[in-house]
Amino acid sequence: MSKRAMIAAGGVVVGLILIPLIGFLPALLVLIGVPVVAYLMLDPSQRRRLRHISRKELR
């Protein structure tokens, strides 16, 4: 299993665990909010580089 697939599977598991504990909408907000906050914490140069790199080059 590739590293990306393991991260995606981990995200699904965390989402499934959070739904019964805190409800559907808060769990959805957590799953969407964490990557958004991580993106916003990048420097402008890092964001620009991330937008221009193709998915195959991200590792």
Side-chain angles (χ1 to χ4, degrees), residues 6-50:
M6 288 182 5
I7 292 171
V12 170
V13 170
V14 169
L16 291 174
I17 291 171
L18 284 176
I19 287 174
L21 294 176
I22 62 174
F24 177 75
L25 286 178
L28 186 64
L29 288 174
V30 167
L31 290 174
I32 292 173
V34 169
V36 169
V37 169
Y39 177 77
L40 292 175
M41 289 176 62
L42 294 174
D43 293 340
S45 63
Q46 291 172 324
R47 289 184 205 165
R48 189 171 34 253
R49 197 173 107 207
L50 189 60

